[in-house]
Amino acid sequence: MKNRKKVAFYTLGCKLNFSETSTIARNLQDEGFDRVDFEEVADMYVINTCSVTENADKQFKQVVRKAMKLNDKAFVAAVGCYAQLKPEELASVDGVDLVLGATEKFKLADYINDLSKNDFGEVHSCEIAEADFYVGSYSIGDRTRAFLKVQDGCDYKCTYCTIPLARGISRSDELENVLKNASEISKQNIKEIVLTGVNIGDYGKGEFGNKKHEHTFLELVQELDKVEGIERLRISSIEPNLLKNETIEFVSKSRTFVPHFHIPLQSGSNVILKLMKRRYQREVYTERVNKIREVIPHACIGVDVIVGFPGETDEHFLETYHFLNEMNISYLHVFTYSERDNTEAAAMEGVVPSNVRAKRSKMLRGLSVKKRRAFYESQLGSNRTVLFESENKEGYIHGFTENYVKVKTPWNPELVNTLHDINLTKIDEDGSVRMDFITALV
């Protein structure tokens, strides 16, 4: 048998990227490649890029250098969001042979010939308007959970965001296909599926290539709840204006959906929300959080927030700080605003100095620690179910409860990827929670 070529992947960015990397990897395995770890010598290195992180280009160059150190004759391909937005920039990085944009990344095998290195990076990237078809994907790598992509692209025009430029219009997978993928995942002894997409609450739009909603996000959730063999389903980030009360109520009674919501706020000031062109005011956000607390008191609620947006005065920032401080939420993901080419915000007045951005970010990160601690304290003494992860960290195994409390117990390899009923007992020095076993579930 002919020697199979080795391919290694490196993913920057979000859960959606991880699900797509996994799908590209499976496609290449079908084409005669063996997947190896990125730390190993490979014939080809594929880097799935991200445009959201501030140092996207710096990170990318570091990963390319790492690949070249492992094998300076390896073929290097860049795919993903940054590859769509700045293809020429990536192609000019020393060692890069191929750059594929939004529509081409799933056809990587078609663009590879003999894996010999190019003098210059070859670019295949479409006009983003052509990214109007849907490619389903899911990740299986981390044994305890899989990321299942249900939607791609975004029709929102948030003034700070390049994702519509990098991923195109909002479009969804067919419901039948999502259920088929979920069923395939469940047969791999994976206990938890995380639903992912760019704007998953918009699910249903573009399901059959048009703008009409054939199905809604609520219907998706209801149908997935019936799939046999899945222990847990988790909704990743969902816009507050698209998280309907019916969905919250359904999750409260669901067999598989866990009580964990991650809802981007971005700012607690209506003035800034308007400048950002977000599709809600802070009052809507308050309603959503109150509704969740009413029907699922023990739910975990995570919040995305951006600091240092153009025009954000000290007063606006303090509005955000107090708004979040008073709200019954569980943790924050804090992003420091950074300018992006071809976005409206990049040309706005009222630029916030970087040292002020850093200070505000630090204040909100401190608030997040306080919020998480208060949430964990509120859960002590309660009975939950934990799914253990696969890593031995300094003699301990960690896992997450259904409502996203991080727990730890002395390492035992038999616990990996198993679910157990536990009682939460006390908060450890590192911030995770200690527990007692009640019964083994699975």
Side-chain angles (χ1 to χ4, degrees), residues 5 12 20 28 145 204 231 243 274 299 373 379 404:
K5 297 280 189 193
L12 296 159
E20 292 182 342
L28 285 178
R145 64 171 62 87
E231 304 282 348
L243 176 57
K274 206 169 174 188
R373 175 99 192 179
Q379 297 305 300
Y404 216 56

Side-chain angles (χ1 to χ4, degrees), residues 153-257:
C154 189
D155 292 341
Y156 287 10
K157 300 284 186 285
C158 300
T159 53
Y160 52 82
C161 186
T162 55
I163 287 174
L165 302 172
R167 284 187 169 270
I169 58 170
S170 178
R171 53 212 189 271
S172 308
D173 203 352
E174 292 178 24
L175 185 58
E176 208 176 290
N177 197 44
V178 174
L179 298 176
K180 179 176 82 63
N181 285 344
S183 186
E184 275 176 30
I185 293 168
S186 74
K187 293 185 180 104
Q188 311 266 346
N189 191 29
I190 285 169
K191 310 285 190 216
E192 180 173 311
I193 294 176
V194 182
L195 301 188
T196 181
V198 173
N199 187 357
I200 63 172
D202 210 21
Y203 177 80
K205 192 189 277 185
E207 196 182 341
F208 295 98
N210 54 27
K211 281 291 168 200
K212 203 162 81 235
H213 269 265
E214 299 293 333
H215 294 96
T216 62
F217 183 70
L218 177 61
E219 286 173 283
L220 172 75
V221 165
Q222 288 168 332
E223 291 306 310
L224 278 168
D225 200 46
K226 299 173 191 166
V227 176
E228 292 293 316
I230 299 173
E231 304 282 348
R232 280 183 175 184
L233 282 155
R234 200 177 290 275
I235 297 167
S236 62
S237 190
I238 182 165
E239 294 283 303
N241 50 307
L242 296 174
L243 176 57
K244 304 294 185 216
N245 286 346
E246 295 82 357
T247 305
I248 296 168
E249 277 162 13
F250 182 80
V251 168
S252 76
K253 303 181 187 79
S254 161
R255 180 182 70 87
T256 53
F257 276 90

